[in-house]
Amino acid sequence: MHIRITTGLFIILLLFICFLLLLTQVITETGHTKPIHEAIDEQISVDHIALPTNSYIYDQHGTLISEIYQAENRIPLAYDKMPTHVIDAFIATEDRNFYDHKGFDLTAIVRALMINIENNSIEQGASTITQQLVRNVFLSHEQSYNRKLSELLYAYQFEQHYDKEEIIALYINTIYFQHGVYGIEAASRYYFGRSTDELSLAEIAFLSAIPNNPTYYNPLTNKDKTKERQHWILQKMIEVEAITEEEYELALVEPIQLEVTKKTDHYPDYVTYIHHEFTELVATQDGYADRLRTADASARESIRHELDQKVESLYREGIIIETALNPMIQEQTIETISNQLPESDVEGVGIVIDHTTNEIVAITGGKQYNKFDFHRAYQATRQPGSAIKPLLVFAPYLAESNASIHSSINANNLCIESYCPKNYGGGQYGTVTIETALKHSYNTAAVRLLMRTGIETSFQYIDDLRFEHLHQSDYHLPAALGGLTYGVTPLELTNAYTTFANEGKFQPAKGIRQVTDLDGNILYQWEETSTQVWDQATNTKMRTLLHKVVTEGTGKKAYLAHSYIGGKTGTTNNYHDAWFIGLTDRYTTGVWVGKDQPQSLGNVYQRSPHLLIWRDVMSAIH
């Protein structure tokens, strides 16, 4: 019974092939009917082939810091970049008539069918390289005659749309080499740590052995089996005169030394932030950000999902993200935070912005940070304490009043209705200069200055600084001391201080320089936009005040000799947060120290780790 069914299927398949050949001949002779590939085109489309491809993130020196891929590690290799031996190895072993057939090899099919009928099974498929390619890209690997018939149609159609060079290149880029590796180039880098053009004939033949049965010929577990098939491949290459006898003999005795190279993925703090920023960049340039701003709550989730899908599709298509990461500064910041904060429950964040270029050159997410964990630099909102005073209180007051930094302000206690702020330690200091009020961070003086300027007016100045979590409920006097509803992120606060380094102008600092496709064509790039927040006179006064904080005030422990240095400390109630945001002539650097669940820093605060971290990082990079 089985023999009768198998024979019937064989006859059907044979008649189908004869029908194709006859139809092709009739069309050629009459010229009055649609070409067969046009007829098939109406039912089968092979125009769009999108192979998942690796994407890459580079630092400011052009060094690869992260490869991006999910299930498929693939590095496409163009035909003209493929070593001749790679192409010869697969043609010699998989499809010697590759350059002569139109997608399927009738002689090989008949021979395979006879063997299958004899064994009452589907042991041999006689698939050409084109058939294998369409099976990998469009079809399943099911062993059935229905699938084989579909495969023949697809293969024939494929040959009408693509030339042989395109087909062999696509095939070699789609085949599986075990361990999530697809294509010869990714296999070469994974198993040997080198590009394909650096491989010897022996190494090429060795790699070419794997796709026939990736589990059985897995070089990491069955290297002897892989070696056996390598010898067989070399023999086949001699038979088709792709190599000489001398090349064959040398390849046989050449030792194969594997050097397995895992996925490149360094600097998880910075790379995690870059993934976040890339999503922001796509959202801004492709209109998702505008849609999210105007959409109601019910539509936002759908838009965000659409944005995520867009980002993932870009990663799969293959992109290069060029960043401003300075590895030395990144490593120094991480090491310094770890050294200064040995306590397991105390966290720290450091952000270094090169304000001459408005680029984030280093950013940390927390101690011993793992990729895609909660990133404290841009995701944590914390109360800024007195670190908000230069931005919300002193600069707006000087801008509105044009007062001198030596003008007076009362630093005694005060009560405004039920709000009665106190200075640190409860001290009352009488009438002091604005310079003294800031460098010693007198709270009552800051509240009085905010009252003089006006809450609404003061907040209008920092509206341009892009604090995303400010709320209408923050428009009250406690804001002068950092009393905000949600708080600010360390990145936001550090970026805001760059205005004092850039003549009062604010420009969002970015980590991404540009995003290109794999051919170097620019796809995305931030538009440079700046806003004048402080006038020149105000900014000059603020730089003097911030310098005094470091030389004579609360920030003295951060001092280091430099052409310019300035900054401001910040401490929240019960010592939950310790801040220092400071700047030199080139860098604006922010440091935050605290616990994830706000609690007192206790004795940790007494040694001023926020100031020491800032000083040590700045000393190392200047």
Side-chain angles (χ1 to χ4, degrees), residues 171-417:
Y171 170 74
I172 293 173
N173 281 318
T174 59
I175 48 181
Y176 184 48
F177 286 84
Q178 193 66 359
H179 303 290
V181 178
Y182 289 80
I184 191 72
E185 181 64 15
S188 177
R189 298 190 192 185
Y190 179 83
Y191 290 109
F192 291 114
R194 288 175 278 130
S195 184
T196 313
D197 59 7
E198 300 176 84
L199 299 185
S200 66
L201 169 61
E203 290 168 332
I204 288 172
F206 184 84
L207 286 183
S208 301
I210 303 171
N212 182 260
N213 188 329
T215 301
Y216 187 73
Y217 295 117
N218 181 351
L220 304 188
T221 56
N222 298 318
K223 187 176 180 181
D224 291 343
K225 299 295 183 184
T226 319
K227 192 75 173 159
E228 287 177 12
R229 184 164 175 85
Q230 175 216 37
H231 292 178
W232 181 81
I233 289 172
L234 290 168
Q235 181 61 50
K236 297 300 177 183
M237 293 178 75
I238 285 185
E239 291 177 10
V240 298
E241 300 181 349
I243 58 174
T244 65
E245 186 71 34
E246 181 182 1
E247 288 175 316
Y248 171 77
E249 295 294 340
L250 289 173
L252 282 182
V253 298
E254 180 181 322
I256 298 295
Q257 299 293 332
L258 296 177
E259 188 177 335
V260 176
T261 304
K262 300 295 184 180
K263 181 179 183 179
T264 300
D265 209 4
H266 307 305
Y267 307 108
D269 311 60
Y270 198 93
V271 166
T272 297
Y273 171 73
I274 290 300
H275 278 272
H276 162 73
E277 187 181 305
F278 178 58
T279 299
E280 282 193 328
L281 178 55
V282 174
T284 300
Q285 294 204 358
D286 289 353
Y288 295 99
D290 290 337
R291 291 169 58 193
L292 285 167
R293 274 191 292 270
T294 58
D296 57 33
S298 61
R300 288 193 192 114
E301 184 176 351
S302 175
I303 296 171
R304 288 193 186 98
H305 177 71
E306 187 182 336
L307 170 59
D308 290 341
Q309 293 295 105
K310 171 67 173 182
V311 170
E312 286 304 314
S313 71
L314 287 165
Y315 285 140
R316 287 195 301 270
E317 290 168 12
I319 57 173
I320 293 172
I321 303 177
E322 299 174 17
T323 77
L325 170 68
N326 184 314
M328 183 276 287
I329 298 178
Q330 180 76 14
E331 291 165 8
Q332 183 64 47
T333 306
I334 291 170
E335 181 181 354
T336 303
I337 290 173
S338 179
N339 290 341
Q340 291 288 353
L341 298 175
E343 297 81 4
S344 60
D345 62 337
V346 179
E347 280 293 347
V349 162
I351 298 150
V352 183
I353 297 173
D354 183 340
H355 52 239
T356 66
T357 58
N358 293 296
E359 293 180 326
I360 300 168
V361 295
I363 186 168
T364 71
K367 295 189 304 184
Q368 299 178 335
Y369 184 80
N370 294 312
K371 189 176 179 183
F372 297 134
D373 280 354
F374 179 72
H375 200 294
R376 296 165 184 85
Y378 74 89
Q379 291 180 310
T381 52
R382 306 290 295 214
Q383 298 301 314
S386 294
I388 201 68
K389 290 176 182 176
L391 303 166
L392 182 62
V393 178
F394 285 83
Y397 174 73
L398 293 174
E400 289 294 308
S401 68
N402 198 29
S404 163
I405 63 174
H406 301 296
S407 58
S408 300
I409 186 69
N410 186 348
N412 283 332
N413 289 344
L414 79 160
C415 277
I416 310 298
E417 297 179 354

Side-chain angles (χ1 to χ4, degrees), residues 586-597:
R586 180 169 182 181
Y587 298 109
T588 300
T589 298
V591 175
W592 166 84
V593 173
K595 298 182 180 181
D596 285 337
Q597 296 300 320

Side-chain angles (χ1 to χ4, degrees), residues 55-56 58 278 314 318-322 512 514-525:
S55 290
Y56 309 93
Y58 289 88
F278 178 58
L314 287 165
I319 57 173
I320 293 172
I321 303 177
E322 299 174 17
I512 295 175
Q514 66 178 19
V515 180
T516 71
D517 61 22
L518 298 181
D519 295 322
N521 301 305
I522 296 176
L523 302 176
Y524 295 93
Q525 201 169 28

